[in-house]
Amino acid sequence: MIVEAEAYLGIEDKAAHSYGGRRTARNEVTYGEGGHVYVFFVYGMYYQLNLVTGPAEHAHVVLIRAVEPIEGIEIMRERRGKMVDKNLTSGPGKLTIAFGIDRSLNGEDLLGNRIWVEEYKNFKKSEIASGPRIGIDYAEEFVKEPWRFWVKGNAFVSKR
DNA sequence: CAAGTGATTAGC
DNA sequence: CTAATCACTTGC
């Protein structure tokens, strides 16, 4: 269950890889149709899972920052090593390890059978909080935009 | 709290 | 070609 996410607004957002229409081999899939996966590698160690959401050429994506394990916890424990359950998926780099996500999923169709999103639970607006995004200190006037959203009080929301 | 890690990018 | 940066995590 997705419990934390951030929006990146394509070419108009200084925090986004596609700011100003920047188009590289890495971010190419974000310019495609929504409903596909964008996976990239950061800090020499971690993959990040994003969902492309907009029409083609808009490069809008949602970064999945944290999830709460519902199924497959045993496999997640194996992949994460000796780690308390609370830390299995409580961050964008952690959850890709727990899910076994790597660059082979970049560009994958969310309607296929390798990775997909299902409706699981409808939260009320009052159960969702929002605030500034994390790790984008370079984004100048966009640093404070409240485009990070999380489930209030959920134990798997990433800490900072 | 700071090192670690290497792909990716921009800049020459 | 080379140097700097980075949508983070872990163990000190």
Side-chain angles (χ1 to χ4, degrees):
Chain A
M1 177 173 69
I2 297 169
V3 298
E4 180 181 356
E6 288 177 357
Y8 287 85
L9 275 62
I11 62 178
E12 58 185 281
D13 178 2
K14 282 190 180 169
H17 289 165
S18 46
Y19 173 65
R22 201 164 69 225
R23 199 162 183 143
T24 65
R26 180 176 68 162
N27 71 15
E28 183 61 31
V29 308
T30 68
Y31 287 91
E33 280 293 329
H36 293 256
V37 166
Y38 173 43
V39 176
F40 66 90
F41 189 71
V42 264
Y43 300 121
M45 292 181 212
Y46 302 106
Y47 292 101
Q48 309 270 318
L49 172 64
N50 298 257
L51 309 182
V52 181
T53 56
E57 301 305 319
H58 284 227
H60 286 192
V61 306
V62 171
L63 167 70
I64 308 302
R65 284 196 58 87
V67 301
E68 176 176 332
I70 304 293
E71 291 178 10
I73 300 187
E74 285 306 322
I75 293 186
M76 297 190 204
R77 287 192 184 119
E78 279 175 38
R79 290 187 176 132
R80 296 282 291 124
K82 201 172 158 61
M83 196 62 83
V84 297
D85 284 1
K86 236 185 191 173
N87 282 338
L88 287 178
T89 56
S90 55
K94 301 179 194 177
L95 73 90
T96 54
I97 298 170
F99 277 34
I101 288 167
D102 63 17
R103 50 185 312 124
S104 78
L105 280 160
N106 191 39
E108 195 72 14
D109 190 340
L110 282 170
L111 296 179
N113 59 9
R114 292 187 71 202
I115 183 167
W116 64 91
V117 178
E118 293 178 9
E119 188 167 342
Y120 179 71
K121 180 171 176 177
N122 282 313
F123 290 100
K124 300 188 193 106
K125 254 190 184 167
S126 61
E127 297 175 284
I128 308 287
S130 67
R133 294 171 293 178
I134 292 179
I136 51 140
D137 294 343
Y138 55 85
E140 301 178 16
E141 73 268 29
F142 287 84
V143 166
K144 294 165 72 182
E145 293 288 358
W147 295 340
R148 169 179 176 239
F149 302 88
W150 66 94
V151 176
K152 287 182 190 172
N154 186 283
F156 291 88
V157 171
S158 67
K159 296 134 187 82
R160 175 63 171 193

